[in-house]
Amino acid sequence: MKFPSNLTVAVIALTYDIEISLDINGEPKISGVEGRLLGVISSALGFHYDLVSPIEKEFGLLSLDGNWSGLIGMVQRKEADIALGLLSVTEERTKAVDFTTPYSVDKTIFITEMPGPVSPMFAFLYPFDRSIWISVAVLLLFVPILFKYLLHTKSSYMSTFMKTFGCVLRQPLSIRNQSSKSRVILWSWLIFAAVISMSYSATFLSFLNVPILKQPLKTFKDLSRAVRKGTTRCYFSKSSYIEPFLLNSNQSHLQILGETIKKNAWYFDNAEVVNKTFVNEYPVMIIERSWMNFLSKSGRSSKIISDHSLAAWNIAIAVNKDFCCKKKLDQVISRIRSAGLYEKFLRDETQIIPTDPSTLLREMRKQRKILFDDISEVVWLLMVPMNSGITDTYRHNAQKDAKPAKM
């Protein structure tokens, strides 16, 4: 059967993916990654196309009566012959429409805000991990006993402890014993104290100079836990397959995540995110990995990508069930995929995403100084007992100078 000379194609205009403009003759001109893909397919099969767009600006949602909205709905109702726009092939969608052979594979990930710096109040604990602090504490408690009984010092345990602890703080060690056994013990402690002290000082300065960031969300379990605790909010496109996938998942943390998002109606509009760079307004977004190529540089600068993916999906063109020439369409798409044309379109289009290299260069050249804000909380923490001591002294003097009242 001869391929139709004209097709009605359903699309949603998105920057860098499908961009629609008018040429000098007033005819619609399509560009973008999948816009170029459609152009190659139409040239290979020799057909013209008319573009239509769903009123809802959605990929497709299944209603309770079994009907679909968005792109899938237009193809299902035969208002369009085909639809494209990063459409994932799912079991529910295949009941309403057919799909061509896939031309790409996508993964579902989430992007989140770059974690902020941790509080500097306890910055003095950051240079060493817990195991090192425990080891140092055990040695500080044990070494005075070793000094007292092996070196036969007459000082009390607390006095010896303060001397060994002061050595770690770069104070002279005033334990005098001229025996060879004492020299080995003292020199061993001096070397240990010097290494610990210098390591701590060097690392502590670097921690003050470069603020420590909080642990980011890396997995969907981390995300579900954070959403359940109310420490963050998570959004996804209402018209995507993500919501039914989460709600019908066998994993409890994914079900809880989906139910929480649905309960709070945490949805975003695809066009707003891509076209208007609203990505920075959402703390966490569950999206397809390919969408990261379409988010502007300013939108990605403060975002990080999760380590794990929710699922992998085939990306294909949706066609209505009665479409005559799906086999020929499959052949052309298979050739396009084999030639790597779609990946080339993706590279070409994402190279034009605006960047500001001067900003990055300034950040690389900037030398950061240690500011008062970096140690302010530690200073205030120190001032609390000092103020308490001053208050107690003032009260003591006031009581001392007070004269008894005359009756």
Side-chain angles (χ1 to χ4, degrees):
M1 182 178 293
K2 185 179 179 180
F3 201 88
S5 59
N6 193 80
L7 291 181
T8 302
V9 182
V11 298
I12 298 176
L14 296 173
T15 305
Y16 307 121
D17 184 34
I18 297 178
E19 299 182 354
I20 303 174
S21 58
L22 298 178
D23 59 17
I24 56 176
N25 298 322
E27 296 294 329
K29 178 182 177 182
I30 190 169
S31 59
V33 177
E34 301 208 353
R36 294 175 65 179
L37 174 66
L38 178 60
V40 171
I41 295 174
S42 64
S43 297
L45 293 173
F47 68 87
H48 299 282
Y49 54 83
D50 298 318
L51 298 177
V52 293
S53 183
I55 299 175
E56 308 93 340
K57 303 297 180 182
E58 297 175 349
F59 295 121
L61 282 176
L62 179 61
S63 61
L64 296 177
D65 59 4
N67 294 317
W68 287 79
S69 63
L71 296 177
I72 301 298
M74 295 192 74
V75 176
Q76 181 192 38
R77 296 187 298 271
K78 298 183 181 181
E79 297 173 5
D81 299 304
I82 64 174
L84 77 161
L86 296 175
L87 289 174
S88 302
V89 181
T90 66
E91 183 178 357
E92 284 187 331
R93 288 176 176 177
T94 54
K95 296 177 182 179
V97 299
D98 287 336
F99 284 93
T100 63
T101 183
Y103 57 85
S104 183
V105 177
D106 209 352
K107 293 182 178 181
T108 303
I109 49 94
F110 68 85
I111 59 173
T112 181
E113 293 284 354
M114 185 75 70
V118 297
S119 173
M121 179 175 290
F122 299 102
F124 62 91
L125 296 176
Y126 300 152
F128 295 154
D129 64 11
R130 184 180 302 176
S131 61
I132 295 180
W133 280 121
I134 293 175
S135 301
V136 171
V138 170
L139 283 174
L140 285 173
L141 294 174
F142 175 74
V143 166
I145 300 176
L146 186 69
F147 282 2
K148 185 173 178 60
Y149 291 100
L150 293 184
L151 303 184
H152 304 290
T153 59
K154 297 181 180 180
S155 304
S156 64
Y157 173 83
M158 185 55 66
S159 176
T160 307
F161 172 80
M162 295 304 296
K163 291 177 182 179
T164 53
F165 181 65
C167 183
V168 176
L169 301 180
R170 300 185 181 181
Q171 299 298 317
L173 184 61
S174 58
I175 298 178
R176 302 186 182 278
N177 193 313
Q178 299 300 322
S179 65
S180 58
K181 181 172 63 175
S182 67
R183 291 176 182 175
V184 173
I185 297 174
L186 292 175
W187 274 106
S188 299
W189 180 252
L190 288 172
I191 292 173
F192 169 80
V195 171
I196 288 294
S197 178
M198 289 187 291
S199 301
Y200 178 85
S201 299
T203 311
F204 183 60
L205 289 176
S206 66
F207 272 68
L208 288 179
N209 195 39
V210 181
I212 310 170
L213 299 180
K214 297 177 182 177
Q215 187 70 15
L217 300 174
K218 294 183 178 181
T219 66
F220 278 88
K221 281 188 176 181
D222 296 338
L223 176 60
S224 178
R225 191 180 303 112
V227 169
R228 188 167 62 251
K229 290 181 179 179
T231 57
T232 189
R233 292 172 295 166
C234 180
Y235 295 79
F236 53 64
S237 173
K238 186 177 182 180
S239 62
S240 71
Y241 59 88
I242 298 175
E243 182 172 344
F245 182 87
L246 291 176
L247 295 175
N248 298 321
S249 174
N250 295 326
Q251 302 183 51
S252 59
H253 66 277
L254 294 180
Q255 290 181 1
I256 294 173
L257 180 61
E259 291 169 358
T260 305
I261 296 174
K262 182 178 181 180
K263 177 182 178 181
N264 294 279
W266 288 337
Y267 305 114
F268 63 78
D269 180 77
N270 297 308
E272 285 185 346
V273 170
V274 177
N275 296 344
K276 299 181 181 179
T277 323
F278 280 10
V279 63
N280 284 330
E281 296 187 6
Y282 302 100
V284 183
M285 298 170 60
I286 301 179
I287 60 173
E288 290 76 13
R289 181 65 178 83
S290 59
W291 278 64
M292 292 301 298
N293 299 304
F294 305 135
L295 300 180
S296 69
K297 187 68 176 177
S298 59
R300 292 186 295 176
S301 59
S302 62
K303 298 287 183 177
I304 56 175
I305 303 175
S306 62
D307 290 345
H308 294 178
S309 59
L310 184 65
W313 307 89
N314 287 322
I315 305 299
I317 296 176
V319 300
N320 65 57
K321 292 286 187 179
D322 298 328
F323 188 69
C324 64
C325 307
K326 178 178 174 296
K327 186 175 181 181
K328 292 183 179 180
L329 192 58
D330 286 340
Q331 291 176 347
V332 173
I333 293 176
S334 296
R335 293 170 186 170
I336 290 174
R337 182 172 182 177
S338 300
L341 287 180
Y342 183 78
E343 287 72 18
K344 181 183 183 302
F345 297 155
L346 191 61
R347 290 194 301 269
D348 292 345
E349 292 297 322
T350 53
Q351 284 178 358
I352 66 173
I353 292 178
T355 58
D356 186 4
S358 60
T359 303
L360 179 60
L361 186 61
R362 286 196 299 270
E363 290 295 325
M364 293 174 61
R365 290 179 175 177
K366 184 169 63 176
Q367 295 182 352
R368 187 178 182 276
K369 298 180 181 180
I370 298 177
L371 305 175
F372 178 75
D373 290 341
D374 298 325
I375 60 173
S376 59
E377 296 188 20
V378 179
V379 172
W380 291 120
L381 188 65
L382 179 62
M383 292 295 292
V384 170
M386 291 179 62
N387 291 336
S388 178
I390 293 173
T391 304
D392 291 341
T393 303
Y394 174 79
R395 288 176 179 174
H396 175 73
N397 293 334
Q399 293 174 358
K400 182 178 178 181
D401 297 337
K403 295 181 180 180
K406 294 182 180 180
M407 298 299 294

